[in-house]
Amino acid sequence: MVQNNQIAVDFRDVTFSRNHRPLVSNLNFVIHKGEALVLLGRSGSGKTTTMKLINRLLTPTKGEVLFDGIPTTQWDEIKLRRKIGYVIQETGLFPHFTVERNVGLVPALEGWQPKQIKTRVYELLHLVGLNPEQFAGRYPHELSGGQKQRVGVARALAADPPVLLMDEPFGALDPITRLELQQEFQHLQQELGKTVVFVTHDIQEAFVLASRIGLMYAGELAVLETRDEFMHSSHPESLAFLQCLRSLS
């Protein structure tokens, strides 16, 4: 996977609290441009909260998150979010929009010309493995779960954002479709060189997709290592996840 020393996102002593209770604490790490960082952890460990601090769906209670060197609190929220694609498990597709209109939504909001939008939509549908002639005119209820997730990825990429956030996007899919999409997304990320932050509780998925794994535990980033380094981690939570991996193999 592509990685360099340029920084896309920088967490500086970040804590986020709700009702005076910290959900994440003392986050200090950087995400490099072009890397695929997987945030791994159990339910309630702080993975999604950490991700939402990047696109300012949440704002730090303490510290700051920098995107392209600028604190997220200094960004216009709309401009920030249009630089960050966002894919969730439920896809969030508009049910009354066709696939073409769903994928072309952000470019339309950005004022692209209709012909330019259509070209981009067709290009992206090809990219995610959906024949545009067959799928552009369909509605979400006419798609399988895997097809919906492909459309969700295409929509997140539509305005060519440099960063892509993915919150357990393949979690609800059957194992075969899930593995296919994991492998296809890995190839896609390598081809496009996007910076990806991917949330999962699945250690197998983390090992398929990650250039680095960030292990969240009790609201803190307990481990941040490459896949090879993670295999030799001595942190108790790492060992618990690695035991799960061995039991599945």
Side-chain angles (χ1 to χ4, degrees), residues 1-17:
M1 301 213 178
V2 178
Q3 183 177 330
N4 57 43
N5 292 322
Q6 292 183 296
I7 295 172
V9 181
D10 188 355
F11 280 74
R12 297 184 178 178
D13 198 24
V14 172
T15 293
F16 175 78
S17 301

Side-chain angles (χ1 to χ4, degrees), residues 192-213:
L192 298 178
K194 299 290 183 187
T195 305
V196 176
V197 182
F198 194 106
V199 162
T200 187
H201 61 265
D202 184 335
I203 181 70
Q204 285 184 307
E205 186 163 67
F207 270 73
V208 170
L209 297 175
S211 52
R212 287 193 300 164
I213 297 172

Side-chain angles (χ1 to χ4, degrees), residues 4 26 28-29 37-38 87 102 104-105 112 139-141 150 158 166 186 192 197 201 226:
N4 57 43
N26 309 312
N28 285 283
F29 67 99
L37 173 67
V38 171
V87 186
N102 265 291
L105 181 61
W112 292 26
Y139 289 85
H141 73 271
R150 292 169 193 267
M166 305 188 75
Q186 182 185 42
L192 298 178
V197 182
H201 61 265
T226 66

Side-chain angles (χ1 to χ4, degrees), residues 108-134:
L109 293 172
E110 293 277 3
W112 292 26
Q113 295 300 311
K115 186 176 180 181
Q116 187 183 11
I117 294 172
K118 189 179 187 75
T119 299
R120 179 64 173 164
V121 168
Y122 275 49
E123 173 190 6
L124 285 168
L125 290 178
H126 275 300
L127 195 64
V128 299
L130 296 175
N131 183 340
E133 300 294 342
Q134 185 179 354

Side-chain angles (χ1 to χ4, degrees), residues 8-242:
V9 181
D10 188 355
F11 280 74
R12 297 184 178 178
D13 198 24
V14 172
T15 293
F16 175 78
S17 301
R18 183 171 284 152
N19 299 324
H20 306 290
R21 183 176 72 87
L23 300 186
V24 295
S25 305
N26 309 312
L27 298 179
N28 285 283
F29 67 99
V30 299
I31 302 167
H32 300 286
K33 291 184 177 180
E35 81 164 316
L37 173 67
V38 171
L39 293 176
L40 174 70
R42 307 187 198 205
S43 297
S45 61
K47 309 182 299 294
T48 296
T49 298
T50 301
M51 173 178 281
K52 288 181 176 179
L53 289 162
I54 297 172
N55 64 353
R56 207 176 156 191
L57 289 175
L58 298 174
T59 302
T61 308
K62 176 189 172 190
E64 60 184 9
V65 179
L66 279 66
F67 181 85
D68 267 355
I70 301 169
T72 55
T73 51
Q74 294 180 20
W75 278 87
D76 174 86
E77 287 184 24
I78 294 174
K79 288 182 179 178
L80 175 67
R81 289 174 191 156
R82 288 184 183 169
K83 286 184 170 287
I84 302 173
Y86 193 38
V87 186
I88 58 176
Q89 186 174 123
E90 299 83 9
T91 73
L93 299 179
F94 291 103
H96 55 292
F97 283 8
T98 63
V99 165
E100 181 173 350
R101 195 172 174 196
N102 265 291
V103 175
L105 181 61
V106 173
L109 293 172
E110 293 277 3
W112 292 26
Q113 295 300 311
K115 186 176 180 181
Q116 187 183 11
I117 294 172
K118 189 179 187 75
T119 299
R120 179 64 173 164
V121 168
Y122 275 49
E123 173 190 6
L124 285 168
L125 290 178
H126 275 300
L127 195 64
V128 299
L130 296 175
N131 183 340
E133 300 294 342
Q134 185 179 354
F135 288 96
R138 290 191 186 180
Y139 289 85
H141 73 271
E142 299 175 301
L143 305 175
S144 69
Q147 290 165 349
K148 287 178 184 177
Q149 285 303 144
R150 292 169 193 267
V151 174
V153 171
R155 185 178 64 178
L157 292 169
D160 201 22
V163 174
L164 195 60
L165 307 182
M166 305 188 75
D167 192 358
E168 302 201 51
F170 310 141
L173 302 176
D174 66 83
I176 295 173
T177 303
R178 184 173 186 172
L179 181 59
E180 288 173 351
L181 283 181
Q182 288 168 357
Q183 292 171 338
E184 289 179 22
F185 181 75
Q186 182 185 42
H187 295 147
L188 189 65
Q189 193 269 340
Q190 291 173 334
E191 181 180 341
L192 298 178
K194 299 290 183 187
T195 305
V196 176
V197 182
F198 194 106
V199 162
T200 187
H201 61 265
D202 184 335
I203 181 70
Q204 285 184 307
E205 186 163 67
F207 270 73
V208 170
L209 297 175
S211 52
R212 287 193 300 164
I213 297 172
L215 179 66
M216 300 294 299
Y217 180 68
E220 296 190 355
L221 186 65
V223 173
L224 179 58
E225 296 177 329
T226 66
R227 286 173 293 191
D228 290 342
E229 290 167 342
F230 192 91
M231 286 293 294
H232 300 96
S233 172
S234 60
H235 191 280
E237 190 71 355
S238 299
L239 295 174
F241 271 100
L242 289 168

